[in-house]
Amino acid sequence: VSDEEELYMNDEITSPTVIVGTGETIPSTAKVYLPFLNYLSDWKDHTRQESLQWFSSTFGISLDDQRLTYDNGHRKWETVLDATITFFRKQGLLANSEKGSFHLTEVGYNFSEVAESLLNDRSFEAAIVVYRENLKNTESDNRIDDNEACDFNDNTTTEEEPIIAEDTSAQSSKPLL
């Protein structure tokens, strides 16, 4: 073996191997929505940092993938969770507790109770729309039921329920009409 060949062989052995994450262990936001909603439904305040720890351990995001960044320096895996948090806020599912922490809103808790059943062949976004429509219909149905139970347009009286005017002469000097 020549000296040049030996140098080349030693160089191969001693040169560091660069391992670059492929992003395969970073889930899409669509895959994060329901597990994150369930994680938040414990009635506690959560921070971004603890949520990131939950996220990396729950989805098994590799250390190599955690090092992947966009050109602007943002870590790709963190951006997925940040986008999920932003989406939940915009949908009214999540609110800030105080600086640096957040929690599910009442709507978020209620949605978390039925989300899985609404996801049948639907996207998470579509499930939220269905949930909101069901809420509107339920509220509308409740108003109709209240009106039916209390018909304000029914001015009829029966002999069993005579209308008795209250004597307020002691309270007021105006005559009763």
Side-chain angles (χ1 to χ4, degrees):
V1 178
S2 71
D3 288 342
E4 191 175 300
E5 288 175 330
E6 191 174 325
L7 278 174
Y8 179 74
M9 287 171 53
N10 286 339
D11 190 41
E12 278 186 22
I13 294 170
T14 59
S15 64
T17 304
V18 177
I19 300 174
V20 178
T22 60
E24 290 177 1
T25 63
I26 302 173
S28 66
T29 53
K31 291 183 179 174
V32 176
Y33 289 149
L34 184 61
F36 190 55
L37 182 69
N38 291 334
Y39 167 70
L40 295 174
S41 65
D42 61 2
W43 293 94
K44 295 180 182 176
D45 288 345
H46 295 274
T47 65
R48 179 180 181 269
Q49 193 57 44
E50 76 179 34
S51 296
L52 285 170
Q53 290 171 352
W54 166 87
F55 182 45
S56 68
S57 67
T58 299
F59 288 93
I61 301 170
S62 72
L63 291 175
D64 293 326
D65 282 351
Q66 288 182 31
R67 291 185 192 105
L68 293 174
T69 60
Y70 291 107
D71 291 339
N72 63 9
H74 292 278
R75 292 185 175 144
K76 291 183 177 186
W77 75 284
E78 290 181 7
T79 302
V80 171
L81 187 65
D82 291 341
T84 301
I85 291 169
T86 300
F87 175 73
F88 280 18
R89 281 188 179 124
K90 287 182 179 179
Q91 296 301 316
L93 305 177
L94 191 69
N96 289 342
S97 303
E98 53 187 60
K99 187 174 183 173
S101 64
F102 47 83
H103 62 274
L104 283 183
T105 61
E106 186 176 342
V107 170
Y109 286 114
N110 293 338
F111 179 67
S112 74
E113 305 240 336
V114 297
E116 204 162 338
S117 67
L118 292 176
L119 286 173
N120 300 330
D121 299 327
R122 288 187 190 97
S123 68
F124 194 86
E125 296 89 338
I128 291 173
V129 170
V130 169
Y131 175 74
R132 292 191 187 281
E133 287 173 357
N134 287 343
L135 275 182
K136 285 180 187 174
N137 291 339
T138 302
E139 289 171 1
S140 164
D141 289 347
N142 287 342
R143 281 192 297 261
I144 290 169
D145 290 342
D146 289 345
N147 288 338
E148 288 173 356
C150 233
D151 188 356
F152 296 108
N153 296 322
D154 185 10
N155 293 329
T156 61
T157 59
T158 63
E159 289 187 35
E160 291 130 6
E161 299 176 7
I163 297 177
I164 303 172
E166 185 179 323
D167 182 11
T168 57
S169 58
Q171 298 171 4
S172 171
S173 59
K174 294 182 182 177
L176 290 177
L177 296 177

